[in-house]
Amino acid sequence: MNQSPLTESEEKQLITKAEAARKKAYAPYSQFQVGAALLTHQGKIFTGCNVENASYGLTMCAERNAIATAIAEEGADNLTIKAIAIANNRHIPCSPCGACRQVIAEFSTDASLIFLSREGYQTRSLSQLLPQEFSLSDIF
Ligand code: THU
């Protein structure tokens, strides 16, 4: 497993793929297109975009769709997330919503999250954004 820090080349690839994914977003209600590209510790990249619905609450975020793609392709058994880049069509740095943070935490002890903006990008670790994720391990 590749536990090394994110390389410049990995960062660049994630950014390009997040931008490509957000162009495929289905966001006719909010007009806010989001794309996410996630890198696994095994070195594979999977993407997702937001998919909205006329019944607004059924909308799926780009980050969770990227995770669903990764699981559909690779299975969940060995899935660990090294990094996720997130892009949007307003080019503002936008961190994942709380629901996505919790779902990312299921597959990562400390993923790097990269938010693209017009000025470049910002990086945060998942533990900075979600210090105490919900976990059943203390319960069972
Ligand atoms: N959205 C995402 O795709 N990811 C997030 O982390 C937050 C919000 C989407 C959902 C909706 O389609 C649009 O952005 C506006 O909320």
Side-chain angles (χ1 to χ4, degrees):
M1 196 184 289
N2 174 13
Q3 294 283 10
S4 54
L6 207 59
T7 66
E8 229 180 274
S9 144
E10 286 174 331
E11 230 166 49
K12 272 194 189 143
Q13 281 187 65
L14 283 178
I15 288 170
T16 305
K17 292 197 176 203
E19 276 293 353
R22 74 104 178 133
K23 289 181 184 153
K24 295 185 179 154
Y26 178 69
Y29 304 103
S30 71
Q31 311 293 334
F32 191 70
Q33 303 173 331
V34 186
L38 79 77
L39 173 68
T40 67
H41 276 109
Q42 289 77 19
K44 294 198 172 169
I45 295 179
F46 301 95
T47 61
C49 57
N50 55 332
V51 179
E52 298 187 343
N53 192 272
S55 177
Y56 294 172
L58 299 182
T59 291
M60 273 302 297
C61 292
E63 297 87 331
R64 276 177 286 159
N65 276 337
I67 291 171
T69 306
I71 293 173
E73 294 285 326
E74 296 288 296
D77 284 355
N78 295 312
L79 180 67
T80 57
I81 299 172
K82 182 172 181 181
I84 307 187
I86 304 150
N88 62 73
N89 60 327
R90 302 232 192 117
H91 308 288
I92 51 171
C94 203
S95 64
C97 75
C100 287
R101 292 176 197 197
Q102 176 68 30
V103 174
I104 295 166
E106 185 85 12
F107 301 102
S108 156
T109 46
D110 204 9
S112 297
L113 305 175
I114 303 165
F115 326 134
L116 311 187
S117 70
R118 209 177 304 283
E119 289 74 35
Y121 59 89
Q122 298 178 14
T123 306
R124 297 281 184 277
S125 66
L126 181 66
S127 60
Q128 282 177 295
L129 297 182
L130 187 66
Q132 287 185 298
E133 78 277 11
F134 175 72
S135 168
L136 289 170
S137 60
D138 294 335
I139 300 168
F140 297 111

